[in-house]
Amino acid sequence: SLDDNLIEDLSIYPNPTTDIIHLNIDFSLDYTVYNSIGQKISEGSTDRDIDISGFQSGVYYIRFKKDNLNTIRKVIKN
């Protein structure tokens, strides 16, 4: 659910984007990127940026996890 906002202070920008998503955090998060039909596209760990330049244009959902907290953000790639 998009309402599971357990990491409330997490912002991503710019959105929509063409290549790099920046995060407003100063700690490391695990992430998983899903396409609009729920297929896992990518996963990793980051403390600042996620490169989606290799993705096709469309809508993606990124699940962020830190310890037992998580949240999902919607991203539009132009």
Side-chain angles (χ1 to χ4, degrees):
S1 165
L2 291 178
D3 294 329
D4 288 341
N5 192 12
L6 300 179
I7 307 172
E8 294 182 15
D9 295 336
L10 176 64
S11 295
I12 58 173
Y13 59 93
N15 192 9
T17 189
T18 57
D19 53 7
I20 303 290
I21 299 167
H22 303 286
L23 287 68
N24 70 327
I25 57 170
D26 58 359
F27 52 87
S28 183
L29 290 174
D30 295 327
Y31 68 88
T32 307
V33 181
Y34 299 92
N35 64 14
S36 61
I37 59 172
Q39 296 170 319
K40 183 168 44 171
I41 303 298
S42 175
E43 62 186 346
S45 193
T46 186
D47 60 356
R48 282 288 188 210
D49 304 315
I50 300 173
D51 183 355
I52 64 168
S53 61
F55 296 2
Q56 295 180 355
S57 296
V59 175
Y60 295 90
Y61 297 92
I62 305 175
R63 176 181 297 272
F64 295 97
K65 293 182 182 180
K66 172 75 172 159
D67 302 323
N68 59 350
L69 302 176
N70 68 81
T71 190
I72 297 175
R73 295 290 190 268
K74 178 180 172 181
V75 175
I76 299 171
K77 166 116 172 28
N78 288 335

